[in-house]
Amino acid sequence: MEKEKPLDCLCIKSIDYKDNDKLITLYAFGEGKITASLKGVKKSKAKLKYASTLLCFGKYYFTGRNGYYNVIGCDLIDNFYGIWTDIDKYYPALCSLEILDKIADDREIGDKLAVLTLEFLNQLCYKSNNNFLTLTKYLNKVVKVLGYELNMACVNCGEQRPSKFYYSFLKSGLVCDNCNDFGAILLSDNTIKILNELNISNFENYNNFDNEDYIICVRIFFDIIGKNLAKKFKTFEEYILFYNKIINY
């Protein structure tokens, strides 16, 4: 990286470092993931405090070389403030950042995921009427970018029109009633309709479905991503625990 080269970046991780500094992980569009430090940013009057926060999207300016960079400036484009003030948006947003952080090491895939993530954050913050649906559609796109697919047939016997479909977390795929295994979950007709619709279109008609149907789809997509890449997503696990507490309150 050239000295003081500006890059459009999204802050995907931020941790405390020393007394007043922070280390941040940025996804730099066209460059990939970058780790950089912000000196004195934890002080009350620090001018670049915003640049060290998650979800900050802006043009960052760096000094340094050989993988050691300091942020010396940032032209803020968006900090997605509406996400920070809404816990129902905040958790899905953090899930997307964790996906980008853990999967974007490959530059070609990383840039595609970064674009999807930025589009998702914009949709979530400013346009979403249903956060569960917005997350479901985003994860479906992530699965496709990674080259995976949920086959709408039993992964064991190939049955395409069973009376019941289950999702097997052992096989990371759909199974019919005859091939059902321990721990598989029965999918509602609406969940099947959502998964089918996502396979063939952008899925615009969502008025007749419950949030629980979308949550099941989210669980399925995270399982597909996690199993295929041998990754665990801590934020998603916390999100599900939070959601379960809310609906059982």
Side-chain angles (χ1 to χ4, degrees), residues 1 7 11 26 35 56 58 75 106 114 128 139 153 165 167 183 192 239:
M1 182 185 298
L7 293 170
C11 184
L26 303 166
T35 299
C56 178
D75 297 333
D106 182 290
S128 177
L139 291 174
F165 254 139
Y167 183 79
I192 295 297
Y239 177 42

Side-chain angles (χ1 to χ4, degrees), residues 41-211:
V41 76
K42 291 168 62 179
K43 295 180 180 178
S44 59
K45 295 183 179 181
K47 293 181 179 180
L48 287 176
K49 189 180 294 290
Y50 65 91
S52 68
T53 59
L54 296 177
L55 303 176
C56 178
F57 175 55
K59 188 177 293 295
Y60 283 74
Y61 298 84
F62 304 90
T63 58
R65 58 184 179 178
N66 299 327
Y68 297 94
Y69 303 113
N70 296 317
V71 176
I72 59 171
C74 177
D75 297 333
L76 179 66
I77 298 174
D78 201 341
N79 63 358
F80 301 103
Y81 180 75
I83 291 176
W84 283 96
T85 58
D86 187 339
I87 190 67
D88 292 324
K89 295 179 184 290
Y90 184 67
Y91 264 115
L94 292 191
C95 286
S96 72
L97 296 187
E98 186 176 18
I99 287 175
L100 189 55
D101 181 41
K102 291 190 173 181
I103 300 178
D105 291 328
D106 182 290
R107 267 277 308 282
E108 182 177 354
I109 291 178
D111 280 351
K112 293 178 181 178
L113 284 178
V115 170
L116 282 181
T117 301
L118 199 58
E119 291 174 347
F120 167 67
L121 294 175
N122 185 70
Q123 181 75 25
L124 187 66
C125 186
Y126 301 111
K127 304 175 184 178
S128 177
N129 294 318
N130 186 311
N131 301 326
F132 298 111
L133 170 63
T134 302
L135 179 59
T136 299
K137 293 171 71 173
Y138 163 72
L139 291 174
N140 177 61
K141 292 177 181 178
V142 170
V143 168
K144 290 181 178 179
V145 164
L146 293 175
Y148 307 131
E149 185 178 356
L150 179 64
N151 188 14
M152 298 305 294
C154 178
V155 296
N156 193 48
C157 70
E159 175 65 46
Q160 294 183 338
R161 297 181 180 275
S163 58
K164 296 179 182 179
F165 254 139
Y166 298 77
Y167 183 79
S168 169
F169 290 96
L170 294 176
K171 299 181 175 70
S172 291
L174 301 181
V175 292
C176 65
D177 203 20
N178 293 329
C179 300
N180 182 20
D181 55 49
F182 177 77
I185 57 173
L186 177 63
L187 303 183
S188 70
D189 291 341
N190 282 344
T191 300
I192 295 297
K193 289 179 182 178
I194 293 170
L195 293 172
N196 271 315
E197 188 69 20
L198 287 169
N199 270 341
I200 61 176
S201 72
N202 291 325
F203 191 55
E204 300 299 335
N205 183 16
Y206 57 85
N207 294 323
N208 296 325
F209 303 109
D210 296 330
N211 287 337

